[in-house]
Amino acid sequence: MKKVQKIGVVGAGTMGRGIIQLFAQAGHEVYCFDAWDGAVAKAMDFVTGLIERGVEKGRQSREQADELIGRIHPCDQLNDLADCDVVIEAIIEEIGAKRSLFKQLEAVLRSDAIIASNTSSLVVADIAAECANPERVAGLHFFNPVPLMKVAEIIAAVRTSTATVDALKALIDGAGHRAVIAADQPGFLVNHAGRGLYTEGLRIIEDQCASVQDVDTLMREAAGFKMGPFELLDLTGLDVSGKVMESIYEQFQQEPRFRPSSLVAPRIAAGLFGRKSGEGWYRYENNVRKDAPRIAAPALHAGIKVWIDGGADDHDSLVALAQQGGAKVCDAPDDAELILIQPWGWDVSSYCAQNDLDARIAVAVDPLPGLDKHRTLMISPITSSIARDAAHALLAQGGDVTIVNDSPGFVTQRILATIVNIAANIAQRGIASVEDIEDSVRIGLGYPAGPLSIGEKIGGERILMILDAMQAQTGDMRYRPSLWLSRRVTLGVSLLTPESSRV
């Protein structure tokens, strides 16, 4: 196919406007059509307003702005797109409407023009099902706001040609975005990979292991994420995210890894959508979130006898903290009033039972973040308030502390292990390359690193250990390890290692 010069955009809503701006800024002639009266004019006003603000702020000259505006062409009818090289559909997310539009576009466009859908959840092959030339149809999924979210998914449907994918990749690369290629599978790549944060966060709340605010705090301050799962759900809107969770679960034939939470439907029914409704998982006043105050650390109890598990990752640092707080470090757990442990994947109850320790005085410290970050303490159902408060006081020296109830894998371990496991399964299924998985999640979801890189930093063996322990304690198949993960751990190679060959 010849180099793409002219781009058509059908749909002048939020996503359509962003796509228009992106490609006009990249030097393309952009033609915009919308079936709703006045929609194109509103889109032109919106995009022109953004360009004018760029002039006011000195980001571009008057001449550059006029040239940019001159590349955007409002259209009165679909036939005005006839000379476009690529047409991108950004209309309502409804299969019938998209199929009908694609048939109309086929009748208007040249035979070598590409038709792409900005769908976020529909099967691209289904959209192209009634097209005479499905090889030129692909998904081209952008993220909002389009000019700022520097990644776009190219969805290769069953009949999409390599030439179509290559042309779209060159187009996206030329616009300064990272083009990632994904198979036509539920959730494509970014929404698929993002399931772990939401579904496991919700499962933790179901299990009464921690509060919503505590889960978000730990994912930010201990795991290094920009936002926790419930902050994100409030931002995106639970009514929208809830439908995506249900859709991906059903499209994957009720795969346990994507099982949605029963907590969601009642909240949607109650109108607790998030920021846009003034209340979601949090309450908002004037769009400012209202958080509960953190629990202050108790006073240090000097002289308390503490035994620290010799297998603890932070054994020496925990000993130093105990001594700094005036505690007496014991040589045997039977002599202690407080036992500190650091399990991977196990809850306090199970770990104590396995190691013949007294759960009444046991408190676990999450080893995953390290003691230089926000610290998580975990208690068993029978841990005494004396042991709990003593551990809180000791660990609060020089750091913030959150206390959670018994949970296989604390909070950070179980969420991160789930994220890594889902990404490993995406790679195993050949839905996307390792490089595209990594970049799409890092850019599109804003994670501190790609999911397989997160697993690599923690250690593949430890991720596998966490998953095995969670599955053993819960009996839930959602935690079964991906073959991609287990094979690389068995072989002692990086989780980022690609397959040596493909069938």
Side-chain angles (χ1 to χ4, degrees), residues 378-430:
M378 182 169 65
I379 57 176
S380 81
I382 61 171
T383 299
S384 71
S385 58
I386 293 174
R388 178 199 65 207
D389 290 350
H392 189 177
L394 290 173
L395 269 294
Q397 297 176 100
D400 291 323
V401 172
T402 293
I403 301 176
V404 302
N405 293 330
D406 230 357
S407 166
F410 295 85
V411 169
T412 60
Q413 287 184 31
R414 64 189 287 179
I415 291 180
L416 293 180
T418 300
I419 289 171
V420 173
N421 196 39
I422 288 174
N425 206 50
I426 292 172
Q428 184 61 52
R429 292 181 57 139

Side-chain angles (χ1 to χ4, degrees), residues 94-352:
E94 199 277 311
I95 188 65
K98 291 181 188 291
R99 276 186 179 179
S100 175
L101 173 61
F102 274 51
K103 286 184 69 176
Q104 294 176 64
L105 286 169
E106 272 204 316
V108 168
L109 300 173
R110 300 190 317 268
S111 61
D112 65 345
I114 291 173
I115 312 174
S117 174
N118 184 54
T119 180
S120 61
S121 61
L122 298 176
V123 177
V124 176
D126 201 6
I127 296 172
E130 296 181 15
C131 289
N133 301 108
E135 66 277 2
R136 62 167 168 170
V137 176
L140 187 56
H141 181 213
F142 294 92
F143 298 85
N144 189 36
V146 175
L148 300 180
M149 294 294 287
K150 301 287 186 177
V151 65
E153 296 176 311
I154 300 170
I155 316 304
V158 178
R159 293 183 178 274
T160 304
S161 70
T162 301
T164 295
V165 172
D166 291 345
L168 288 175
K169 185 177 187 307
L171 176 65
I172 297 302
D173 289 343
H177 276 36
R178 171 70 163 89
V180 296
I181 301 169
D184 193 12
Q185 289 288 287
F188 307 138
L189 182 45
V190 174
N191 281 334
H192 186 166
R195 293 309 90 203
L197 180 65
Y198 289 150
T199 57
E200 198 57 32
L202 285 161
R203 179 64 185 269
I204 289 169
I205 302 304
E206 286 181 10
D207 292 345
Q208 293 289 289
C209 300
S211 71
V212 162
Q213 186 173 319
D214 285 345
V215 171
D216 283 344
T217 297
L218 291 172
M219 288 308 295
R220 283 196 323 272
E221 298 183 15
F225 280 53
K226 291 179 182 177
M227 300 179 78
F230 300 100
E231 294 168 306
L232 274 170
L233 286 170
D234 270 7
L235 181 64
T236 59
L238 190 61
D239 53 333
V240 175
S241 297
K243 290 178 183 177
V244 174
M245 284 187 269
E246 290 286 349
S247 174
I248 290 178
Y249 177 61
E250 293 299 334
Q251 288 182 76
F252 271 117
Q253 288 79 48
Q254 300 186 346
E255 160 61 54
R257 292 190 181 103
F258 306 122
R259 187 189 308 122
S261 171
S262 60
L263 297 176
V264 172
R267 301 185 73 86
I268 292 176
L272 300 175
F273 301 150
R275 285 184 178 273
K276 63 185 178 184
S277 63
E279 186 174 1
W281 298 99
Y282 297 90
R283 282 194 312 104
Y284 299 87
E285 292 181 10
N286 299 319
N287 207 33
V288 176
R289 195 176 83 199
K290 297 298 180 181
D291 286 358
R294 285 185 177 174
I295 298 173
L300 285 165
H301 183 184
I304 191 168
K305 293 181 284 186
V306 181
W307 179 78
I308 299 165
D309 189 350
D313 289 60
D314 298 308
H315 177 272
D316 292 348
S317 296
L318 290 172
V319 167
L321 272 176
Q323 292 174 338
Q324 178 183 319
K328 296 179 180 178
V329 179
C330 304
D331 293 327
D334 291 344
D335 300 330
E337 299 168 282
L338 170 64
I339 291 172
L340 293 180
I341 57 177
Q342 286 198 296
W344 287 92
W346 296 98
D347 60 20
V348 177
S349 301
S350 299
Y351 190 87
C352 287

Side-chain angles (χ1 to χ4, degrees), residues 6 62 73 80 86 112 116 194 210 226 253 266 340 368 403:
K6 297 181 179 180
R62 178 72 265 164
H73 309 282
D80 293 341
V86 173
D112 65 345
K226 291 179 182 177
Q253 288 79 48
L340 293 180
L368 193 154
I403 301 176

